[in-house]
Amino acid sequence: SSSSSSSKTPRGVAPHPLSKDVLGFEDEDEDDDLEVFSKDASFTDASSFSISMQTSPSSMINQHTLEDESDGKDIFVAVDDPENHVTAIETFVTYRITTKTTRSQFDSCEYEVRRRYQDFLWLKDKLEEAHSTLIVPPLPEKFVMRGMVERFNEDFVATRRKALHKFLNRIADHPTLSFNEDLKIFLTVEDLASHKKLGPGFISKMGETVRAVASTVRSVKNRPSEFTTMSDYVDIFRQKMGTLDKISQRILRELKEHLAEMKEYSPIYAQWSESEQELAEPLKGVASSIENCCKAIEGLTMGLTEDLLPALHEYVLCAETLKSVLKRRDLIQANYELRVDTLTNKKADKEMLEHSDLSFTFGAFLGKNTVEMKQQKQQKIDHEIEELQADIGQLEDKVECANSDLKADWERWSINMQNDLQSAFQTAAENNIHYFERCLATWESFLASQQTEMKADKNGKQST
């Protein structure tokens, strides 16, 4: 396909300045034109707890060969070579996944498989199912209907490939997710169909969804304050990142419109120079200067498209992921608290039973022995209390593990988020400096040439 050729070779936290008071942005109601990544985001002071995600050397898509990084890494994954597939019922794109590893859990040291977007969705679902309180990196959004005409164009496929490459590499860099059995299956098995069939995992996921919906009617009573702080942080993070994402997209659109105008502007001067002999050289100089500025604008738009926008939008999606992880942690604690409440009620029932008189119960009127009836009820309650205590012990361990996992992953995510965004902002600054320096040099050169020509003309007139 035409898109295949474009991507053959893959190549104590300080407070963040993007707080609500510093930026002072407000969400704008405008259409979101981006159709490759997803939702919205925000920032707050992260100094009281740290954040992190599976590390990548920078926030940009790293187009490196598998041998380029050897600092302790034992698994390398690359996503490249997109191919269009057309069948009688659908059209889709697959991507080549190349894996090199020295891990003993793999039977070979190198694998190559092809995967489509819905296979990546399957992997993400399996990772979230197995590690509900770890921060699984976000996937680019599924393509929206209003842009269906552009779905398989080269730019869209190239952008999605980069996002999928980053997704897999973040997982491969994660100390826990990278050892997940479903990731191994995804990277090594030729045909995923048998692994993707409806099974207990799906039923379990549906059950979790039902429980999550049911739990919305009761809030967690004793959520640790650090997770409340995290939730507040994510709310601000979501809002700020969403605003930055929208503004950056708008700037990109306006830059492209400006570039189109400039490309129409230059030929007018060139054509004019043909009919104005006395002004021919200055007019040609202006036309050439405008052409050079157009090239500078193209470089600036490319930097936005390939560097800043993907970094911003990934963390827009991360905000949604973080909210989901925090909700799943709350669900685990809510289940624990529900069991504790049930146990308290059962103990109260047992105490009431000990002081109750069963002589006037329906069973007593039927001639049943009230002592035996009380013993049976006590045995039943004792058994229920025993089961509840066992459940509570297991859920208490689950809550502790969930809290520990989330705090550790939050620390990793925080460090990587700050590194990624800092790298993106630095690259954006360098691109802007390069753009303005190039335009400045172009017009300074034009002015110098005109001043030289004017001096030559003046000297010529004086000599005559």
Side-chain angles (χ1 to χ4, degrees), residues 205-229:
K205 192 175 183 67
M206 290 299 294
E208 178 182 314
T209 302
V210 171
R211 290 194 300 273
V213 172
S215 71
T216 58
V217 299
R218 66 187 303 270
S219 59
V220 177
K221 293 187 295 186
N222 299 305
R223 180 194 289 117
S225 60
E226 57 198 311
F227 296 112
T228 299
T229 306

mmCIF file of all heavy atoms in Angstrom, residues 205-229:
data_model
loop_
_atom_site.group_PDB
_atom_site.id
_atom_site.type_symbol
_atom_site.label_atom_id
_atom_site.label_comp_id
_atom_site.label_asym_id
_atom_site.label_seq_id
_atom_site.Cartn_x
_atom_site.Cartn_y
_atom_site.Cartn_z
ATOM 1 N N LYS A 205 -15.035 -9.551 33.290
ATOM 2 C CA LYS A 205 -14.988 -8.119 33.027
ATOM 3 C C LYS A 205 -16.387 -7.508 33.071
ATOM 4 O O LYS A 205 -16.593 -6.424 33.604
ATOM 5 C CB LYS A 205 -14.328 -7.869 31.668
ATOM 6 C CG LYS A 205 -13.974 -6.408 31.413
ATOM 7 C CD LYS A 205 -13.227 -6.286 30.108
ATOM 8 C CE LYS A 205 -12.787 -4.850 29.854
ATOM 9 N NZ LYS A 205 -11.779 -4.391 30.809
ATOM 10 N N MET A 206 -17.359 -8.233 32.496
ATOM 11 C CA MET A 206 -18.731 -7.746 32.519
ATOM 12 C C MET A 206 -19.255 -7.680 33.957
ATOM 13 O O MET A 206 -19.940 -6.737 34.348
ATOM 14 C CB MET A 206 -19.622 -8.664 31.680
ATOM 15 C CG MET A 206 -19.367 -8.572 30.185
ATOM 16 S SD MET A 206 -19.688 -6.912 29.543
ATOM 17 C CE MET A 206 -21.451 -6.815 29.815
ATOM 18 N N GLY A 207 -18.906 -8.695 34.747
ATOM 19 C CA GLY A 207 -19.321 -8.696 36.144
ATOM 20 C C GLY A 207 -18.730 -7.529 36.908
ATOM 21 O O GLY A 207 -19.393 -6.899 37.732
ATOM 22 N N GLU A 208 -17.462 -7.223 36.610
ATOM 23 C CA GLU A 208 -16.807 -6.083 37.258
ATOM 24 C C GLU A 208 -17.502 -4.787 36.880
ATOM 25 O O GLU A 208 -17.671 -3.893 37.711
ATOM 26 C CB GLU A 208 -15.335 -6.043 36.834
ATOM 27 C CG GLU A 208 -14.573 -4.870 37.416
ATOM 28 C CD GLU A 208 -13.137 -4.825 36.940
ATOM 29 O OE1 GLU A 208 -12.487 -5.883 36.957
ATOM 30 O OE2 GLU A 208 -12.680 -3.745 36.543
ATOM 31 N N THR A 209 -17.911 -4.674 35.607
ATOM 32 C CA THR A 209 -18.612 -3.473 35.148
ATOM 33 C C THR A 209 -19.921 -3.310 35.885
ATOM 34 O O THR A 209 -20.291 -2.208 36.315
ATOM 35 C CB THR A 209 -18.863 -3.547 33.628
ATOM 36 O OG1 THR A 209 -17.620 -3.699 32.962
ATOM 37 C CG2 THR A 209 -19.568 -2.306 33.130
ATOM 38 N N VAL A 210 -20.674 -4.420 36.049
ATOM 39 C CA VAL A 210 -21.952 -4.366 36.770
ATOM 40 C C VAL A 210 -21.723 -3.942 38.209
ATOM 41 O O VAL A 210 -22.446 -3.096 38.749
ATOM 42 C CB VAL A 210 -22.653 -5.740 36.714
ATOM 43 C CG1 VAL A 210 -23.860 -5.752 37.633
ATOM 44 C CG2 VAL A 210 -23.057 -6.067 35.276
ATOM 45 N N ARG A 211 -20.703 -4.499 38.843
ATOM 46 C CA ARG A 211 -20.411 -4.129 40.231
ATOM 47 C C ARG A 211 -20.004 -2.665 40.337
ATOM 48 O O ARG A 211 -20.348 -1.981 41.291
ATOM 49 C CB ARG A 211 -19.306 -5.034 40.799
ATOM 50 C CG ARG A 211 -19.735 -6.472 41.020
ATOM 51 C CD ARG A 211 -18.730 -7.205 41.896
ATOM 52 N NE ARG A 211 -17.402 -7.234 41.292
ATOM 53 C CZ ARG A 211 -16.990 -8.159 40.436
ATOM 54 N NH1 ARG A 211 -17.826 -9.126 40.067
ATOM 55 N NH2 ARG A 211 -15.778 -8.131 39.951
ATOM 56 N N ALA A 212 -19.239 -2.204 39.332
ATOM 57 C CA ALA A 212 -18.796 -0.803 39.342
ATOM 58 C C ALA A 212 -19.990 0.130 39.247
ATOM 59 O O ALA A 212 -20.056 1.149 39.945
ATOM 60 C CB ALA A 212 -17.832 -0.552 38.188
ATOM 61 N N VAL A 213 -20.954 -0.223 38.387
ATOM 62 C CA VAL A 213 -22.160 0.599 38.256
ATOM 63 C C VAL A 213 -22.939 0.586 39.561
ATOM 64 O O VAL A 213 -23.427 1.616 40.037
ATOM 65 C CB VAL A 213 -23.039 0.107 37.082
ATOM 66 C CG1 VAL A 213 -24.375 0.839 37.086
ATOM 67 C CG2 VAL A 213 -22.325 0.296 35.756
ATOM 68 N N ALA A 214 -23.063 -0.609 40.152
ATOM 69 C CA ALA A 214 -23.809 -0.725 41.406
ATOM 70 C C ALA A 214 -23.144 0.066 42.526
ATOM 71 O O ALA A 214 -23.810 0.643 43.384
ATOM 72 C CB ALA A 214 -23.919 -2.198 41.806
ATOM 73 N N SER A 215 -21.812 0.118 42.508
ATOM 74 C CA SER A 215 -21.089 0.785 43.590
ATOM 75 C C SER A 215 -21.205 2.296 43.526
ATOM 76 O O SER A 215 -20.842 2.988 44.481
ATOM 77 C CB SER A 215 -19.608 0.390 43.563
ATOM 78 O OG SER A 215 -18.962 0.985 42.460
ATOM 79 N N THR A 216 -21.684 2.822 42.397
ATOM 80 C CA THR A 216 -21.797 4.279 42.286
ATOM 81 C C THR A 216 -22.823 4.834 43.260
ATOM 82 O O THR A 216 -22.818 6.025 43.555
ATOM 83 C CB THR A 216 -22.186 4.684 40.855
ATOM 84 O OG1 THR A 216 -23.425 4.051 40.490
ATOM 85 C CG2 THR A 216 -21.112 4.289 39.859
ATOM 86 N N VAL A 217 -23.729 3.968 43.752
ATOM 87 C CA VAL A 217 -24.746 4.450 44.685
ATOM 88 C C VAL A 217 -24.177 4.612 46.089
ATOM 89 O O VAL A 217 -24.788 5.241 46.936
ATOM 90 C CB VAL A 217 -25.958 3.497 44.719
ATOM 91 C CG1 VAL A 217 -26.601 3.425 43.353
ATOM 92 C CG2 VAL A 217 -25.560 2.097 45.199
ATOM 93 N N ARG A 218 -23.009 4.053 46.355
ATOM 94 C CA ARG A 218 -22.391 4.222 47.669
ATOM 95 C C ARG A 218 -20.923 4.603 47.479
ATOM 96 O O ARG A 218 -20.182 3.963 46.753
ATOM 97 C CB ARG A 218 -22.504 2.942 48.516
ATOM 98 C CG ARG A 218 -21.735 1.773 47.985
ATOM 99 C CD ARG A 218 -22.015 0.495 48.769
ATOM 100 N NE ARG A 218 -21.742 0.607 50.172
ATOM 101 C CZ ARG A 218 -20.556 0.323 50.722
ATOM 102 N NH1 ARG A 218 -19.556 -0.039 49.957
ATOM 103 N NH2 ARG A 218 -20.388 0.406 52.020
ATOM 104 N N SER A 219 -20.502 5.647 48.120
ATOM 105 C CA SER A 219 -19.131 6.116 47.978
ATOM 106 C C SER A 219 -18.242 5.407 48.991
ATOM 107 O O SER A 219 -18.707 4.841 49.979
ATOM 108 C CB SER A 219 -19.070 7.627 48.202
ATOM 109 O OG SER A 219 -19.554 7.947 49.495
ATOM 110 N N VAL A 220 -16.934 5.460 48.719
ATOM 111 C CA VAL A 220 -15.973 4.887 49.651
ATOM 112 C C VAL A 220 -15.937 5.749 50.906
ATOM 113 O O VAL A 220 -15.817 6.972 50.831
ATOM 114 C CB VAL A 220 -14.578 4.818 48.992
ATOM 115 C CG1 VAL A 220 -13.547 4.301 49.981
ATOM 116 C CG2 VAL A 220 -14.623 3.927 47.756
ATOM 117 N N LYS A 221 -16.044 5.103 52.058
ATOM 118 C CA LYS A 221 -16.149 5.864 53.304
ATOM 119 C C LYS A 221 -14.797 6.336 53.811
ATOM 120 O O LYS A 221 -14.674 7.440 54.345
ATOM 121 C CB LYS A 221 -16.827 5.010 54.376
ATOM 122 C CG LYS A 221 -18.294 4.709 54.087
ATOM 123 C CD LYS A 221 -18.944 4.009 55.263
ATOM 124 C CE LYS A 221 -18.326 2.629 55.493
ATOM 125 N NZ LYS A 221 -19.040 1.877 56.556
ATOM 126 N N ASN A 222 -13.790 5.498 53.675
ATOM 127 C CA ASN A 222 -12.495 5.801 54.291
ATOM 128 C C ASN A 222 -11.360 5.775 53.263
ATOM 129 O O ASN A 222 -10.342 5.131 53.477
ATOM 130 C CB ASN A 222 -12.208 4.801 55.416
ATOM 131 C CG ASN A 222 -13.256 4.854 56.508
ATOM 132 O OD1 ASN A 222 -13.512 5.905 57.072
ATOM 133 N ND2 ASN A 222 -13.872 3.711 56.792
ATOM 134 N N ARG A 223 -11.561 6.460 52.139
ATOM 135 C CA ARG A 223 -10.499 6.509 51.126
ATOM 136 C C ARG A 223 -9.282 7.221 51.701
ATOM 137 O O ARG A 223 -9.405 8.321 52.272
ATOM 138 C CB ARG A 223 -10.965 7.261 49.887
ATOM 139 C CG ARG A 223 -9.896 7.344 48.805
ATOM 140 C CD ARG A 223 -10.202 8.360 47.726
ATOM 141 N NE ARG A 223 -11.301 7.931 46.870
ATOM 142 C CZ ARG A 223 -12.436 8.582 46.772
ATOM 143 N NH1 ARG A 223 -12.626 9.684 47.495
ATOM 144 N NH2 ARG A 223 -13.379 8.158 45.964
ATOM 145 N N PRO A 224 -8.087 6.638 51.572
ATOM 146 C CA PRO A 224 -6.871 7.328 52.031
ATOM 147 C C PRO A 224 -6.736 8.680 51.348
ATOM 148 O O PRO A 224 -7.034 8.824 50.157
ATOM 149 C CB PRO A 224 -5.747 6.374 51.606
ATOM 150 C CG PRO A 224 -6.395 5.019 51.563
ATOM 151 C CD PRO A 224 -7.793 5.273 51.085
ATOM 152 N N SER A 225 -6.303 9.680 52.080
ATOM 153 C CA SER A 225 -6.258 11.053 51.565
ATOM 154 C C SER A 225 -5.377 11.178 50.334
ATOM 155 O O SER A 225 -5.630 12.010 49.460
ATOM 156 C CB SER A 225 -5.753 11.996 52.665
ATOM 157 O OG SER A 225 -4.440 11.622 53.078
ATOM 158 N N GLU A 226 -4.339 10.341 50.222
ATOM 159 C CA GLU A 226 -3.432 10.452 49.079
ATOM 160 C C GLU A 226 -4.153 10.136 47.763
ATOM 161 O O GLU A 226 -3.846 10.730 46.716
ATOM 162 C CB GLU A 226 -2.232 9.523 49.244
ATOM 163 C CG GLU A 226 -2.594 8.070 49.426
ATOM 164 C CD GLU A 226 -1.453 7.270 50.016
ATOM 165 O OE1 GLU A 226 -0.324 7.387 49.510
ATOM 166 O OE2 GLU A 226 -1.696 6.529 50.986
ATOM 167 N N PHE A 227 -5.157 9.229 47.812
ATOM 168 C CA PHE A 227 -5.881 8.900 46.586
ATOM 169 C C PHE A 227 -6.915 9.981 46.247
ATOM 170 O O PHE A 227 -7.213 10.207 45.074
ATOM 171 C CB PHE A 227 -6.530 7.523 46.712
ATOM 172 C CG PHE A 227 -5.530 6.413 46.857
ATOM 173 C CD1 PHE A 227 -5.422 5.701 48.033
ATOM 174 C CD2 PHE A 227 -4.671 6.101 45.811
ATOM 175 C CE1 PHE A 227 -4.479 4.694 48.172
ATOM 176 C CE2 PHE A 227 -3.724 5.096 45.938
ATOM 177 C CZ PHE A 227 -3.629 4.388 47.128
ATOM 178 N N THR A 228 -7.431 10.659 47.263
ATOM 179 C CA THR A 228 -8.284 11.816 47.011
ATOM 180 C C THR A 228 -7.462 12.925 46.354
ATOM 181 O O THR A 228 -7.913 13.591 45.411
ATOM 182 C CB THR A 228 -8.904 12.324 48.324
ATOM 183 O OG1 THR A 228 -9.698 11.286 48.896
ATOM 184 C CG2 THR A 228 -9.769 13.551 48.077
ATOM 185 N N THR A 229 -6.233 13.103 46.838
ATOM 186 C CA THR A 229 -5.337 14.105 46.250
ATOM 187 C C THR A 229 -5.006 13.747 44.807
ATOM 188 O O THR A 229 -4.962 14.614 43.932
ATOM 189 C CB THR A 229 -4.044 14.206 47.078
ATOM 190 O OG1 THR A 229 -4.369 14.455 48.439
ATOM 191 C CG2 THR A 229 -3.153 15.319 46.560
#
